Amino acid sequence: MSEQVCTHCGSTFGPEELLFQCPKCGGPLEWRDLPRFDPKLIQKNMPGLWRYRPFFPEVLPERPLTLGEGWTPIVHVPKLGDNVLFKLEYVSPTASFKDRGVALVINQLHRFGVSEFADDSSGNAGASMAAYGAMAGMTAHIFSPAYAPKGKIEQIRAFGAELTLVPGPRPEATKAAVAMAEKGVFYASHAWVPVNIVGQQTAAFEVWEQLGGEMPDAVAMPVGQGTLLLGMYQGFKRLLEAKVIDRIPRLIAVQAKKVSPVVQAFEKSLDDVPAVEPDYTIADGMAITRPVRGKAILEAIRESSGTAIAVTEEEIEEARRKLALGGLFVEPTSAAPYAAISRLDIPATEKVLIMLTGSGLKKPDGGK
Ligand SMILES: [Zn+2]
C-alpha cells in the first residue's frame, strides 16, 4: 500500500490522510511504495495521463475528473537542432505542464470532499488550479504577485477563481496564501501537496512510451519549485526499477541568472538550497527564491549525472525568438533550456529532450 513519508523527519502517514506537509515537523511529504510500473497494466483506453492510473496512489478515483491532461506531443524540428527533441507541455488544457500534477491534486481533494482551497502562484499553477477547481465545483483562492503576466491573470479570472494580487516580490504571495490557510482553508500548494509530483512522473512514462523505449541522453527543463524535475526523476527511477529502461537520462536544471538558487547551490556542492534575494526576471514562471524541495532537487540532478545552469535575460529572449522562428511559441521561462543547451558541450551523437512547459500566449510580448 502506498504511503506518505516526510522527507525531513521520516514520519509516515497513510493514504487516507489529506496532508500538504508533515504535521509533525512541517517538512515536505513524498509518496512512497507506489504500485510497481508494469507496461502490461497501462490503460490505453483512458484519456491522457490516466492511462497510468494503476501506478498512482490507491486513493485516486477509478473514474477521474479530467480535462484531457497529459499525453503531450514530442516533436523534432530539424531547423532547431538535429539532436534536439521537444515535448510540448504547453499543449495542455490550461497551456502549461502544471495540469499534470494539478489533475491529481484536484481529484484527491474531490475524493476528500474539499470545497475550498488556497494556492499561491506566479500564474501557471494558479490558472491550472482555477480551471480544475472550477470543473470540480470548488472555490479557488489564488494569490499571485501583482507583476504576474496579464495573460495568466486573465486566465485565472476567467475560471472564476477568487484572485488576490499581492504587491512586492514573489514570496509575498506565498505569505498571503499561508495566512488564509491558517484560517482553515486547505493549502493546496502545488509545491507542497505530494500527489502533484506523482502527476509529474507521468511525463517520464510518456517519454519512454512515445519514443518507443529510445530514451534521450539528457532532459533539460526550467526549474522553479522543481516539481517537474523531481517528478521526471522519480518516474525514470520507477521505469528503471521495473527494468523497462537501463539508465536515467541526465537531468539539466535551468534557471534565470537573476533568480538561480538551485544553480548556485549546485555549483557550491551544497546539500540544500539556501534562499537568494528576490529579483525581477522575464522568466517569471521560475522566479522562486528558495524551492520547498531543494535537497531532493540537488540529489536528483547529481544522481542522474546531470547539471544546473543559469542563463541571462538576453539569452532567454534570444532563445524564445529562435524557437518561435521554428514554429514553437513559448513563454520566456520555457525558452531558457534551449538557451542553456547551446552552452553545454553535448556531443552530436547524443539526443536531448527539452520540456517546453508553458505557452507563448501566456505572455505574448515576452515580458518587455
Ligand atoms: Zn516530518
Side-chain angles (χ1 to χ4, degrees):
M1 196 70 165
S2 313
E3 60 181 8
Q4 304 169 85
V5 181
C6 174
T7 57
H8 278 188
C9 74
S11 299
T12 58
F13 307 92
E16 294 300 335
E17 287 192 71
L18 178 63
L19 302 166
F20 75 90
Q21 66 178 172
C22 173
K24 292 187 182 159
C25 79
L29 298 166
E30 191 178 289
W31 281 92
R32 301 251 175 97
D33 293 327
L34 291 164
R36 192 180 171 82
F37 185 90
D38 179 348
K40 290 194 293 295
L41 298 180
I42 296 171
Q43 297 184 331
K44 294 189 176 169
N45 57 338
M46 290 288 276
L49 55 75
W50 294 96
R51 65 202 284 112
Y52 304 116
R53 166 70 188 81
F55 318 123
F56 295 162
E58 298 83 351
V59 285
L60 289 169
E62 290 288 334
R63 288 166 185 242
L65 294 168
T66 176
L67 292 172
E69 55 286 344
W71 206 250
T72 56
I74 295 178
V75 299
H76 177 231
V77 180
K79 187 182 170 185
L80 295 172
D82 285 338
N83 62 339
V84 183
L85 295 170
F86 299 95
K87 189 156 173 60
L88 310 188
E89 288 293 282
Y90 63 82
V91 185
S92 294
T94 72
S96 90
F97 79 104
K98 301 282 186 184
D99 294 342
R100 276 186 197 283
V102 167
L104 270 68
V105 171
I106 291 294
N107 273 284
Q108 187 190 20
L109 297 189
H110 184 67
R111 154 93 196 249
F112 284 85
V114 173
S115 61
E116 201 176 359
F117 62 80
D119 190 12
D120 54 287
S121 159
S122 65
N124 282 336
S128 186
M129 290 296 287
Y132 283 80
M135 169 184 64
M138 299 171 189
T139 304
H141 300 273
I142 308 293
F143 296 84
S144 295
Y147 66 74
K150 193 165 181 285
K152 298 182 185 182
I153 297 291
E154 292 306 327
Q155 202 185 3
I156 294 169
R157 282 210 180 100
F159 293 124
E162 300 284 333
L163 174 69
T164 307
L165 294 177
V166 185
R170 175 69 181 80
E172 296 301 315
T174 303
K175 280 185 211 157
V178 169
M180 174 152 226
E182 279 163 2
K183 287 185 218 150
V185 173
F186 186 74
Y187 184 41
S189 162
H190 55 285
W192 285 96
V193 179
V195 83
N196 176 43
I197 295 180
V198 180
Q200 299 298 345
Q201 291 179 4
T202 61
F205 302 159
E206 287 178 18
V207 169
W208 167 75
E209 206 180 342
Q210 291 173 320
L211 296 178
E214 296 275 316
M215 297 301 282
D217 297 281
V219 181
M221 67 198 92
V223 168
Q225 285 290 358
T227 54
L228 178 60
L229 183 133
L230 289 172
M232 290 193 85
Y233 176 65
Q234 292 170 6
F236 286 133
K237 248 179 36 178
R238 291 177 77 186
L239 295 174
L240 194 66
E241 281 158 17
K243 297 190 166 55
V244 301
I245 60 172
D246 57 13
R247 65 184 163 82
I248 292 178
R250 300 195 304 273
L251 299 177
I252 302 170
V254 183
Q255 298 197 302
K257 206 159 233 161
K258 284 183 156 191
V259 186
S260 51
V262 171
V263 175
Q264 293 178 36
F266 179 80
E267 286 174 350
K268 290 178 196 150
S269 302
L270 304 181
D271 290 333
D272 205 345
V273 179
V276 295
E277 286 299 311
D279 199 354
Y280 175 80
T281 160
I282 56 169
D284 57 280
M286 55 178 174
I288 300 290
T289 53
R290 184 175 190 228
V292 164
R293 300 166 189 272
K295 210 170 172 207
I297 293 170
L298 292 171
E299 274 169 19
I301 296 168
R302 288 180 184 131
E303 283 174 29
S304 71
S305 307
T307 190
I309 176 164
V311 289
T312 64
E313 302 290 292
E314 294 72 27
E315 286 174 307
I316 293 170
E317 183 45 40
E318 175 66 4
R320 194 182 86 97
R321 202 181 58 83
K322 278 190 190 159
L323 288 169
L325 293 176
L328 303 174
F329 190 39
V330 298
E331 62 172 314
T333 302
S334 306
Y338 189 62
I341 62 153
S342 61
R343 276 226 249 117
L344 296 167
D345 276 329
I346 296 174
T349 50
E350 289 197 346
K351 204 161 45 174
V352 186
L353 176 77
I354 293 181
M355 304 298 287
L356 294 181
T357 49
S359 167
L361 293 172
K362 300 264 192 178
K363 204 177 186 182
D365 66 357
K368 290 190 288 294

